[in-house]
């Protein structure tokens, strides 16, 4: 009977051959992991769509701009032709004048709206505006050919979606007079900051556009001369997912506070000290001086895009429904590594104990770990990542520990597996919660596992069977 030449190189029962088989099985486990990953992507896309629908019903993502002064003008332009003839034309248009100083103080009452298993944060926002105007100072140095009709000046504000305004907005002036803001379609805001229901949370400054910004106007308290004046107003409106205040004044100070804790600061401008979280909610503050605003004190609306005002915003957003998938995604990305760690630990146990595990047992253990990620995904959608990880990890650790004890017919082996797997899944959770340092932590874990394996198997004869207990190799 002829002998197989390969058997002479790698004897039957060789731990080296078993190691190659285990490596192949680890790679094979990537197939069910990719299936779970594809399923997660589909669920995440569905969550985004449903979250956008919920948010749209609540008023969508809101941006609000405080009082701005718009003044009609008339200008006589003389043009000299090549033949030396002089012709005149009348140009009519509007100038926008920004308040010298402006403040906005917003209080948000945040709640959750649900549709099936999906949810989105909605809010009712009460914003108090204060604006101090000095039109003459803002227009100082302007070409004297401009003639302004101050009696027809208007104060203008805008919001992202007016459907959820709770009460009539009224302007209050220092002399006690009031004026009610009324809807107007006289202003073109061009491309504004964000798309209703489709905000890209990774973009800063905003990169997408509202379907429209809705403007409101009221007569300004000016006669024939541009005297300084002060105006206050309050607007109450609803929305969802994101609330922003535009830098409506030359020097703008904004405070946004609310009763939610899962909040992040966004927008074109950075906060002074980040979002301050308290036991009652959050508080975020901004101050944008004139030099940082990167806009003029006044501008001709013929060439100035009003949408740029909305683009220069200060905002808070609430944790989007699809954010719950971030932890699951990171867990799946490191799935092969953790499955490999369990397989490698089992192989080392075989080598040092003399007991054997069949390839089918490795496959079952690997599939159980893949099902862990499926459990994690499905439970996370219901109760959140932390609780879902605890439940899915506990079930998987108990199952694998029982299987290890039963397979090797040893309660001690099962108990050791319980301790080892508990530590492994605990390390996995820590790794999943680290955002900036996840790669570093994963690399350290992988190095530590490889180092421990090399030390534990340094006396193993990989060409044959494990060294007998008590034997040494010099």
């Amino acid at each position: 009977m002829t002998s197989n030449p390969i058997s002479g190189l790698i004897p039957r029962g060789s731990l080296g051959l078993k190691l190659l088989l285990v490596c192949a099985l680890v790679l094979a486990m990537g197939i069910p992991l990719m299936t779970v990953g594809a399923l997660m992507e589909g669920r995440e896309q569905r969550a985004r769509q449903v979250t956008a629908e919920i948010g749209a019903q609540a008023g969508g993502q809101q941006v609000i701009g405080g009082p701005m002064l718009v003044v009609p003008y008339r200008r006589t332009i003389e043009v000299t032709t090549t033949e030396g003839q002089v012709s005149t034309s009348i140009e009519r248009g509007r100038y926008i004048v920004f308040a010298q100083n402006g403040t906005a103080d917003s209080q948000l009452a945040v709640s959750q709206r649900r549709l099936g298993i999906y949810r989105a944060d909605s809010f009712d926002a009460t914003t108090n505006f204060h604006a101090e105007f000095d039109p003459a100072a803002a227009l100082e140095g302007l070409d004297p050919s401009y003639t302004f009709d101050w009696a027809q000046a208007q104060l203008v504000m805008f919001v992202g979606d007016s459907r959820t305004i709770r009460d009539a907005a009224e302007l209050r002036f220092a002399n006690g007079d009031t004026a009610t803001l009324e809807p107007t379609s006289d202003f073109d805001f061009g491309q504004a900051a964000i798309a209703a229901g489709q905000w890209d949370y990774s973009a800063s400054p905003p990169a997408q556009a509202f379907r429209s910004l809705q403007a409101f106007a009221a007569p300004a308290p000016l006669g024939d001369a541009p005297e300084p004046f002060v105006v206050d107003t309050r607007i109450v409106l609803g929305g969802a997912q994101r609330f922003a205040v535009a830098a409506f004044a030359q020097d703008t100070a904004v405070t946004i506070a609310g009763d939610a804790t899962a909040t992040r600061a966004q927008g074109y401008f950075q906060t002074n000290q980040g979002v301050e979280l308290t036991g009652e909610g959050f508080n975020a503050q901004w101050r944008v001086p004139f030099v940082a605003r990167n806009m003029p004190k006044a501008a001709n609306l013929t060439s100035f895009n009003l949408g740029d005002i909305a683009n220069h915003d200060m905002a808070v957003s609430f944790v989007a429904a699809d954010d719950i998938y971030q932890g699951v995604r990171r867990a799946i990305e490191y799935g092969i590594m953790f499955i490999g760690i369990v397989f490698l630990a089992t192989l080392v146990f075989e080598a040092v104990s003399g007991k054997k595990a069949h390839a089918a047992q490795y496959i079952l253990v690997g599939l159980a770990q893949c099902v862990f990620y499926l459990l994690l995904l499905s439970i996370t959608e219901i109760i959140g990542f932390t609780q879902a990880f605890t439940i899915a990890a506990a079930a998987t650790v108990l199952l694998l520990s029982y299987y290890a004890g039963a397979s090797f017919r040893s309660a001690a082996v099962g108990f050791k597996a319980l301790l080892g797997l508990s530590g492994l899944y605990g390390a996995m959770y820590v790794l999943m919660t680290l955002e900036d340092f996840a790669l570093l932590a994963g690399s350290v874990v992988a190095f530590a596992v490889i180092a421990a394996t090399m030390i534990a198997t340094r006396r193993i004869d990989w060409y044959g069977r494990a060294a007998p207990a008590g034997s040494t190799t010099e």
Side-chain angles (χ1 to χ4, degrees), residues 275-289:
V275 177
E276 178 185 354
L277 298 178
T278 65
E280 298 179 352
F282 73 92
N283 184 285
Q285 296 181 350
W286 293 261
R287 181 176 177 271
V288 181

Side-chain angles (χ1 to χ4, degrees), residues 259-285:
D259 55 6
T261 54
T263 308
R264 68 183 65 162
Q266 289 189 329
Y268 187 88
F269 301 103
Q270 295 183 352
T271 59
N272 296 343
Q273 297 178 340
V275 177
E276 178 185 354
L277 298 178
T278 65
E280 298 179 352
F282 73 92
N283 184 285
Q285 296 181 350

Side-chain angles (χ1 to χ4, degrees), residues 129-172:
F129 287 98
H130 175 81
E132 301 172 1
F133 287 89
D134 189 350
L139 294 170
E140 186 177 0
L142 188 66
D143 189 333
S145 63
Y146 285 91
T147 301
F148 292 97
D149 187 358
W150 295 105
Q152 298 299 318
Q154 292 180 303
L155 286 167
V156 177
M157 299 181 65
F158 65 82
V159 298
D161 191 334
S162 63
R163 294 176 300 168
T164 57
I165 292 180
R166 306 302 188 207
D167 56 13
E170 191 175 66
L171 300 178
R172 301 181 301 277

Side-chain angles (χ1 to χ4, degrees), residues 89-101:
S89 62
I90 303 297
E91 176 186 289
R92 299 181 185 275
R94 289 177 294 187
Y95 237 84
I96 184 168
V97 178
F98 298 106
Q100 196 168 47
N101 296 288

